[in-house]
Amino acid sequence: VVGPVSEYPELDALVDDIRRRSDAAFSDLYRLTSDSLASFAFSMLRDRRLAEDAVQQAFLELVRSAHTIKGDGRSIRAWLFRSVRFTCLDEIRRRSRHPESLTATTPDTAVLPDGIEIPEMDPDLEDALGQLTDRHRTLIALRHVVGLSGEEIATVMEMTRPAAYAATARAERRLRNILLTVESRDESASSTTKRIEDHR
Amino acid sequence: MSRIDPGTAERLQDAFTITVDASTSARHHAAIADAIRTVGVPPPATPARWRMRIPALVAAAMAVAPVGAAVAAENTNPGDLLYPVKRIVEPIRSIFDSDIAATHRIEELARIVDSPADIDRIPIAVSDARDALFDLPPDSSLRDEFMMITDRVRDHFGSDTPLHDEVSDDVRPMDEAPQDDGSKDVAPSDERPDEGEVTDTTVTEPGEHPTTTQVRDQRPAPVDPPDQETDPSPPDSRGDEGGDEADDPDQARSDG
């Protein structure tokens, strides 16, 4: 289990240079955060290309807003996750308005360079996540895929820390109950199939 | 405390954890570098420097404000907005200048006398100045100043002004003060009213404006000569006190 990370000394050292839009500082920031941001975006969009584009979009926005960024490395990291979240939400809304574009951007049809793997999704997990709301899916991803702390989740989701804890707990309970239902349904279906085969 | 078992959390990570490949990373770096060149390097963060200076500015303002208020209050008169500041600062300044309170009172009196609109304030200003002069040495020049001002008032308003009674011997310079020859407390009958005489004077409670009314003179009664030739009080007036004593039960018991 990825626990909450509370300190980012490497990011803290970059903050001043980020505000000055130092090229090297942005490179270091990208190296330190791009994979987590991409994973988060991928959990929301289920599309690797769009997830990577969301990461790039977040960094470009950070370049424009660098001089206004306040706080330490944790704040910049939370800022990037919030930016990625907004980009992903925009994409999800766009998909809902234009469902025909969904086919063109699904991982199965996306053209990927050689050697790049798309993680295989557990069908039960995919089914359970599909039954969650976008908000609950985002909370689950931030907590269990990226490993943000409750305070960071609160910043990214723009809510108070107690509200973030409560919402994350609700999302976790919901996912657990759905998984239990899905897995029990699968067991029931497999046992029924087995009985039918035995009967034959 | 997570409500998801470790196995599910691991499945989530396996399902969604991706790594940005090298070519994509290079493409992103190039786009970021272009954006930095386009936007440009921001100017030095002067707002942050100003934020650092704010506490120093506040501290400086807090240090300067009382001094400024004290300076501004220097020439105020009773009733002015900053006059309390002047009175608060006086005990501190008196550490270095023991005459500061008396000097202020004399200055205030002079300004009030010069201002026709402040005639009503003259009696209390005289009284305050007299109180301030009380602890000064007898040869203090401030006493001369006080006498000059009160003489001006007397000349201007006439000798029948209530101010006439405000000038007492205790503010006179040493060379003008009456000698302690046993008759010090005996005032001439035409200058001091007898005890109990009702006269027009000004009574002022602390913090109030002076009001002219008829009150009984509260000054100590002059010590009469032993022959009591000029004592206007009838014998039975002292008998009142004797009567009071007779009304005392303890005295009555001792008499009995």
Side-chain angles (χ1 to χ4, degrees):
Chain A
V1 177
V2 177
V5 180
S6 57
E7 297 295 332
Y8 304 100
E10 289 179 292
L11 292 181
D12 291 341
L14 297 174
V15 170
D16 288 339
D17 290 335
I18 291 292
R19 291 198 187 100
R20 285 192 287 268
R21 296 197 183 102
S22 160
D23 209 342
F26 270 89
S27 294
D28 289 342
L29 182 65
Y30 185 91
R31 176 178 53 81
L32 293 168
T33 60
S34 59
D35 288 345
S36 297
L37 293 168
S39 299
F40 171 57
F42 183 65
S43 71
M44 290 187 72
L45 299 173
R46 314 281 183 87
D47 186 307
R48 186 180 182 109
R49 277 283 173 235
L50 291 177
E52 290 171 349
D53 288 348
V55 173
Q56 180 184 357
Q57 183 66 26
F59 273 90
L60 296 180
E61 288 179 7
L62 180 60
V63 169
R64 285 191 288 271
S65 307
H67 62 289
T68 65
I69 296 293
K70 298 182 177 68
D72 54 5
R74 176 197 294 259
S75 301
I76 288 185
R77 191 170 190 258
W79 193 97
L80 285 169
F81 273 103
R82 197 163 61 239
S83 176
V84 166
R85 173 176 166 250
F86 287 141
T87 303
C88 293
L89 289 175
D90 287 344
E91 175 61 22
I92 290 170
R93 288 192 201 99
R94 191 186 65 80
R95 284 180 185 175
S96 65
R97 284 197 300 268
H98 307 284
E100 66 278 7
S101 65
L102 185 64
T103 308
T105 58
T106 50
D108 292 340
T109 58
V111 179
L112 298 174
D114 294 339
I116 297 178
E117 297 179 358
I118 297 176
E120 292 185 4
M121 179 70 81
D122 181 336
D124 289 344
L125 186 61
E126 186 171 14
D127 190 2
L129 289 172
Q131 296 183 45
L132 291 178
T133 62
D134 288 340
R135 186 180 184 81
H136 281 176
R137 257 199 310 276
T138 304
L139 288 166
I140 292 291
L142 289 172
R143 177 66 178 161
H144 295 284
V145 177
V146 183
L148 296 191
S149 66
E151 189 173 352
E152 290 171 309
I153 291 173
T155 305
V156 173
M157 299 297 289
E158 296 180 309
M159 54 175 61
T160 64
R161 192 162 54 178
Y165 279 123
T168 305
R170 279 195 298 273
E172 289 173 344
R173 272 197 302 270
R174 177 87 174 129
L175 177 61
R176 185 189 60 192
N177 293 336
I178 293 174
L179 276 174
L180 288 173
T181 304
V182 169
E183 287 168 356
S184 65
R185 185 191 62 195
D186 288 349
E187 287 177 5
S188 175
S190 62
S191 64
T192 301
T193 305
K194 187 177 181 182
R195 279 202 302 273
I196 291 172
E197 288 176 353
D198 290 346
H199 182 70
R200 286 176 180 171
Chain B
M1 185 68 177
S2 175
R3 287 156 188 81
I4 292 180
D5 61 281
T8 303
E10 191 172 346
R11 287 159 68 191
L12 283 166
Q13 289 181 48
D14 291 342
F16 294 119
T17 300
I18 62 174
T19 303
V20 179
D21 61 279
S23 63
T24 304
S25 176
R27 186 164 47 86
H28 287 178
H29 276 109
I32 292 167
D34 284 344
I36 290 173
R37 277 192 294 274
T38 303
V39 176
V41 177
T46 49
R49 259 185 248 150
W50 270 107
R51 277 197 298 275
M52 292 171 66
R53 288 175 188 165
I54 285 174
L57 290 173
V58 170
M62 290 177 66
V64 168
V67 176
V71 171
E74 180 68 18
N75 292 324
T76 55
N77 287 339
D80 292 341
L81 183 65
L82 289 176
Y83 186 72
V85 176
K86 185 180 183 180
R87 296 301 293 259
I88 289 170
V89 173
E90 270 178 9
I92 301 169
R93 294 184 63 183
S94 65
I95 297 171
F96 310 101
D97 182 3
S98 58
D99 296 345
I100 189 68
T103 305
H104 280 167
R105 296 299 87 75
I106 296 293
E107 289 172 356
E108 291 161 13
L109 176 60
R111 282 195 295 268
I112 288 172
V113 167
D114 289 339
S115 171
D118 291 330
I119 289 175
D120 292 343
R121 295 182 177 181
I122 290 176
I124 190 169
V126 170
S127 176
D128 286 346
R130 188 181 56 202
D131 292 345
L133 291 169
F134 186 79
D135 291 330
L136 291 187
D139 57 346
S140 172
S141 61
L142 291 173
R143 293 181 188 276
D144 294 334
E145 287 186 38
F146 178 77
M147 293 302 294
M148 290 168 60
I149 295 171
T150 52
D151 287 341
R152 276 172 52 203
V153 174
R154 221 181 273 114
D155 294 342
H156 186 72
F157 294 101
S159 60
D160 56 345
T161 177
L163 175 66
H164 184 69
D165 292 329
E166 294 290 341
V167 184
S168 60
D169 291 339
D170 56 12
V171 299
R172 296 178 191 276
M174 179 68 85
D175 53 350
E176 294 181 20
Q179 298 300 314
D180 189 10
D181 55 359
S183 62
K184 175 185 177 183
D185 294 326
V186 180
S189 59
D190 59 343
E191 291 187 8
R192 283 176 176 259
D194 292 334
E195 180 187 9
E197 182 181 349
V198 175
T199 180
D200 284 339
T201 185
T202 300
V203 290
T204 306
E205 295 297 329
E208 292 183 354
H209 293 293
T211 56
T212 302
T213 183
Q214 284 196 333
V215 295
R216 193 170 294 277
D217 195 341
Q218 299 297 317
R219 284 176 296 190
V223 177
D224 295 318
D227 55 1
Q228 294 294 323
E229 289 180 353
T230 60
D231 185 6
S233 57
D236 57 348
S237 66
R238 285 196 300 273
D240 291 345
E241 296 178 1
D244 291 341
E245 289 174 0
D247 291 340
D248 186 359
D250 294 336
Q251 183 66 32
R253 275 196 300 273
S254 64
D255 294 344

